[in-house]
Amino acid sequence: MALDHDVAREHDQGEEVSTATVVAYVVAAVAVFGWFLYGWLVLRQGFVNSVGEAAGTGFALLLVVSIVGTVRRSRR
Protein backbone atom coordinates (compact mmCIF):
# COMPACT_ATOMS: atom_id res chain seq x y z
CA MET A 1 0.00 0.00 0.00
CA ALA A 2 1.49 3.34 -1.09
CA LEU A 3 1.04 6.73 0.51
CA ASP A 4 -0.19 9.49 -1.76
CA HIS A 5 1.82 12.51 -0.63
CA ASP A 6 -0.74 15.02 -1.96
CA VAL A 7 -3.45 13.49 0.19
CA ALA A 8 -1.11 13.36 3.19
CA ARG A 9 -0.35 17.10 2.84
CA GLU A 10 -4.06 17.92 2.78
CA HIS A 11 -4.60 16.13 6.08
CA ASP A 12 -1.56 17.74 7.71
CA GLN A 13 -3.04 21.20 7.24
CA GLY A 14 -6.08 20.59 9.44
CA GLU A 15 -7.68 23.16 11.65
CA GLU A 16 -6.51 23.66 15.20
CA VAL A 17 -8.83 22.47 17.94
CA SER A 18 -10.02 25.33 20.11
CA THR A 19 -9.64 25.35 23.86
CA ALA A 20 -13.42 25.53 24.24
CA THR A 21 -13.80 22.29 22.27
CA VAL A 22 -11.28 20.49 24.44
CA VAL A 23 -12.97 21.78 27.60
CA ALA A 24 -16.38 20.65 26.28
CA TYR A 25 -15.04 17.14 25.57
CA VAL A 26 -13.52 16.91 29.05
CA VAL A 27 -16.78 18.06 30.64
CA ALA A 28 -18.71 15.48 28.58
CA ALA A 29 -16.30 12.71 29.59
CA VAL A 30 -16.58 13.63 33.26
CA ALA A 31 -20.39 13.73 32.97
CA VAL A 32 -20.51 10.27 31.35
CA PHE A 33 -18.19 8.88 34.02
CA GLY A 34 -20.34 10.51 36.71
CA TRP A 35 -23.43 8.95 35.14
CA PHE A 36 -21.70 5.56 35.33
CA LEU A 37 -20.82 6.06 39.01
CA TYR A 38 -24.33 7.29 39.82
CA GLY A 39 -25.92 4.23 38.26
CA TRP A 40 -23.46 1.81 39.81
CA LEU A 41 -23.06 3.21 43.32
CA VAL A 42 -26.25 5.15 44.01
CA LEU A 43 -28.89 3.25 42.03
CA ARG A 44 -27.08 -0.09 42.54
CA GLN A 45 -28.11 -1.34 39.11
CA GLY A 46 -25.00 -3.45 38.60
CA PHE A 47 -21.63 -2.85 37.03
CA VAL A 48 -22.43 -4.18 33.54
CA ASN A 49 -25.72 -2.28 33.33
CA SER A 50 -23.99 0.91 34.41
CA VAL A 51 -21.23 0.48 31.84
CA GLY A 52 -23.82 -0.14 29.12
CA GLU A 53 -25.87 2.87 30.09
CA ALA A 54 -22.81 5.13 30.23
CA ALA A 55 -21.59 3.80 26.87
CA GLY A 56 -24.99 4.44 25.32
CA THR A 57 -24.99 7.97 26.68
CA GLY A 58 -21.48 8.52 25.31
CA PHE A 59 -22.46 7.26 21.87
CA ALA A 60 -25.55 9.49 21.89
CA LEU A 61 -23.34 12.49 22.71
CA LEU A 62 -20.98 11.56 19.88
CA LEU A 63 -23.94 11.34 17.50
CA VAL A 64 -25.09 14.82 18.53
CA VAL A 65 -21.57 16.21 18.05
CA SER A 66 -21.39 14.58 14.62
CA ILE A 67 -24.71 16.04 13.51
CA VAL A 68 -23.82 19.52 14.77
CA GLY A 69 -20.45 19.34 13.02
CA THR A 70 -22.05 18.26 9.76
CA VAL A 71 -24.56 21.11 9.88
CA ARG A 72 -21.82 23.64 10.67
CA ARG A 73 -19.59 22.42 7.82
CA SER A 74 -22.42 22.46 5.30
CA ARG A 75 -23.03 26.16 6.03
CA ARG A 76 -19.43 27.14 5.16
Side-chain angles (χ1 to χ4, degrees):
M1 183 164 79
L3 174 66
D4 187 0
H5 293 287
D6 294 331
V7 174
R9 274 189 229 110
E10 288 177 12
H11 290 291
D12 288 342
Q13 298 172 354
E15 298 176 15
E16 291 288 322
V17 178
S18 68
T19 304
T21 302
V22 173
V23 169
Y25 283 143
V26 168
V27 167
V30 168
V32 168
F33 185 67
W35 187 250
F36 159 75
L37 289 177
Y38 178 74
W40 186 34
L41 299 175
V42 176
L43 297 179
R44 298 189 184 277
Q45 63 184 4
F47 180 79
V48 174
N49 288 338
S50 296
V51 168
E53 192 169 324
T57 303
F59 285 129
L61 284 173
L62 287 175
L63 179 64
V64 169
V65 167
S66 176
I67 291 170
V68 169
T70 300
V71 169
R72 288 184 67 199
R73 273 206 187 135
S74 69
R75 291 187 180 181
R76 288 185 191 175

